[in-house]
Amino acid sequence: MVAAGKDFAFGLPGSMGPQGEFDPANFLEGKTQLEVYRYREAELTHGRVSMLASLGFLVQEKFHPLFSGDGGPAIDQIPQLPVWLWGVMTAGIGAAEAYRISIGWQELEDGTASSALKSSYYPGDINFDPLGLKPEDPAEFRLMQEKELAHCRLAMIAAAGFLAQEAVSGDTWGTWWGAPEL
């Protein structure tokens, strides 16, 4: 395995826009391909969750199909969820993670693995495309990957911003900005 640097992030999508090869903390310095792939897998996983979280922050004020939704900050609404919903969420998350692990992660031998990811696994590719959106053209697919990664990075910042704003103000985003009807 070659250390990162000869081909930035071993050719993974994401070196785009004005920042280009952006690694200010030198996380990739001296890392093997499998280590860089593991970092990208973590970035994509957290980014996808953050996209859902950001959408949830925007929607939760006005749309409450599963619980009473008294309004107020999301952090105050979470404990109000019914117990059965926690079970359903736990089972759903567990099933999704079990599927992801079965696709990309190595089996443990004697409680350890030489690397967490399978050497044949490409970060983020769990063969799940029920709507058939994955482009056949490799150039188009790379562009789609770069867009997803940009949206993931923005969503991570947005979700953190929503959390910080609600924690500091005690209000939802609409109420804070003087538009509770949003």
Side-chain angles (χ1 to χ4, degrees):
M1 299 263 171
V2 181
K6 297 192 181 212
D7 187 15
F8 185 75
F10 294 96
L12 288 173
S15 297
M16 60 191 175
Q19 79 268 12
E21 296 181 354
F22 186 73
D23 184 23
N26 291 321
F27 284 123
L28 303 182
E29 186 73 30
K31 299 294 189 276
T32 65
Q33 181 177 358
L34 284 175
E35 289 172 315
V36 172
Y37 276 24
R38 193 176 74 233
Y39 286 166
R40 179 55 56 86
E41 177 71 13
E43 182 179 21
L44 283 168
T45 301
H46 288 91
R48 289 169 177 170
V49 169
S50 295
M51 285 191 282
L52 290 172
S54 296
L55 178 63
F57 272 106
L58 295 173
V59 171
Q60 58 91 21
E61 273 192 76
K62 300 298 177 204
F63 184 65
H64 312 287
L66 300 175
F67 55 98
S68 66
D70 299 341
I75 198 72
D76 294 337
Q77 293 181 33
I78 291 171
Q80 298 174 19
L81 293 174
V83 174
W84 66 266
L85 187 56
W86 285 101
V88 171
M89 288 190 310
T90 301
I93 292 168
E97 283 299 298
Y99 177 73
R100 187 173 72 92
I101 288 168
S102 72
I103 297 292
W105 298 79
Q106 287 188 22
E107 296 286 329
L108 297 178
E109 296 175 16
D110 300 325
T112 61
S114 58
S115 170
L117 294 178
K118 293 177 182 174
S119 59
S120 61
Y121 178 70
Y122 189 81
D125 187 11
I126 58 172
N127 302 319
F128 182 76
D129 187 20
L131 300 177
L133 299 175
K134 183 177 179 180
E136 297 294 326
D137 179 34
E140 259 186 70
F141 181 57
R142 184 169 179 92
L143 181 61
M144 182 181 258
Q145 288 175 308
E146 289 180 353
K147 288 177 181 178
E148 179 189 24
L149 195 56
H151 293 138
C152 284
R153 291 169 178 170
L154 179 62
M156 286 187 272
I157 294 168
F162 280 125
L163 284 167
Q165 179 265 310
E166 285 191 359
V168 170
S169 70
D171 290 328
T172 58
W173 66 274
T175 304
W176 172 254
W177 290 103
E181 70 280 356
L182 290 179

